[in-house]
Structures are given as structure tokens and as C-alpha cells.
Amino acid sequence: MAGRPSAKTNTENNNLVKRNKELEKELEKMKEMLQKLMTEKENKLNQEIKQEEVEVFPEIPMHKPIKVMSLYAGGLNLKKYNDDKTPFRFNFFGETQPILYGDLVKIISHQRKFFEEGYCVVLDNDVIKVHYLEKFMKKILDKKTIDKLLEYDDEKIKDLYNGTTKQLKQTIVDLIVDKIVKKEYVDRNKVAVISELYGKDLYEIAEHLK
């Protein structure tokens, strides 16, 4: 017949129960602290993300003259609206004109594709940022690069040509053909590279224009 638990055993059991309760409380406190730390870290991270998302746009006075350069190999009209009787006229590749920002805002709104595809380029980083043109600028070659294109090695010529817009590819071809027609010096081997990329012999095109 089993005996009754001794006083010592009861005391030990009571102490064990008490200790378990204390451990449970400590564990609960640790969970709360961990949750608090995780929440604080998450809030801090979210705040940092929000700060990064908030774009700061520069203020551009409407009367500020902004330089715009034509990258078109012919005459180019920039209009504020369809029936604009006083467009900004660019007559040749590389021509640069100052346009008041107030007018340029209207032009970009009306002829945005001209700036996205490289018919012309804004020479002001603030304007480029404000009008979300930065991603398009990655494919726009500057005048100096276009002028020196036939001086690069074949692989760089291919990379530059293939990486730019359809319009600037045409500008490159038109400028080279114009040089051939005018009997200016061009490296025939480099011209052959462009001809292959373009899909037509530039010398044949030039011959038809003479």
C-alpha cells in the first residue's frame, strides 16, 4: 500500500510548480521584448523605405532659359501645341537653343516622344529629373559620341549603335551618308560595320543621293 507523500516531497513539488510559473513569466517577458524589438526594427525599416520613396524635385523658375540640343540630322520644329505658329526651329544636328522653361514644359507635354526617342535632348539635369526623362536618357547618345562613332573599335560601335534608340540609329546613318556624299573622309571598314547593322549599304544610299 502506497504511503502518503512526505512533507519534504510536497515542498519540492510546490517549489517546482512555483519555479515553472516563474520561468513561464520570464519566457513571456522575453517574447514581449523580442516582439517589441522586431516591431521597432520593422517600423524603422518602413520609415527608411518611405524616406527613399519620397522624391525631392528641384524647383525650376518658369523664366529660366534651358538649353535644348537637336540630335536630328535635318530640320526640327518644337511646338507648344498643334497650331503653334512660332515653333522653335532647329536647322541642323547639334544646334543648341535656349528655351524658357515655361515654354519647354508645354513642348515636352506636346512632343514628349521627341525627347524620349532622341530627336532632341535637354541639357539640364533638373528638367530631366522633373519630367521623368532619366530612364530614356540611358539610351540617348550625346553629340560628341555620335560625332566620334567611326573612331571607336568595331565592338564599341556595335554596342553603341545597338544600345540607342531607333531614331538615333537613323541619325547616325544620315550623318555618315551625308559625309560620303560630301566626299569627306570616313573609314570604309567602320562604315561597313554600320551598314551591316543598318541592313543597307550606306555607300549605295549615298550614291542615290548624289
Side-chain angles (χ1 to χ4, degrees), residues 27 31 52 77 94 103 107 121 132 140-141 168 176 210:
L27 182 61
K31 284 182 178 179
E52 290 178 1
N77 289 325
D103 290 329
I107 292 170
V121 62
Y132 293 98
I140 305 297
L141 301 179
L168 280 181
I176 294 173
K210 289 181 180 179

Side-chain angles (χ1 to χ4, degrees), residues 98-142:
I99 299 177
L100 293 181
Y101 181 58
D103 290 329
L104 187 57
V105 169
K106 298 173 184 176
I107 292 170
I108 294 176
S109 176
H110 181 59
Q111 296 176 311
R112 186 175 177 85
K113 77 168 188 174
F114 280 15
F115 299 86
E116 294 180 350
E117 297 175 12
Y119 286 82
C120 57
V121 62
V122 176
L123 304 180
D124 187 294
N125 290 331
D126 287 346
V127 175
I128 289 170
K129 180 179 178 64
V130 168
H131 291 272
Y132 293 98
L133 292 169
E134 289 169 310
K135 69 176 182 178
F136 300 100
M137 291 300 296
K138 294 175 183 178
K139 300 186 78 174
I140 305 297
L141 301 179
D142 59 34

Side-chain angles (χ1 to χ4, degrees), residues 167-184:
Q167 175 52 42
L168 280 181
K169 288 176 182 176
Q170 188 60 53
T171 289
I172 290 167
V173 167
D174 291 342
L175 291 173
I176 294 173
V177 168
D178 186 58
K179 285 179 180 290
I180 296 171
V181 170
K182 292 178 179 177
K183 296 183 179 181
E184 296 180 17

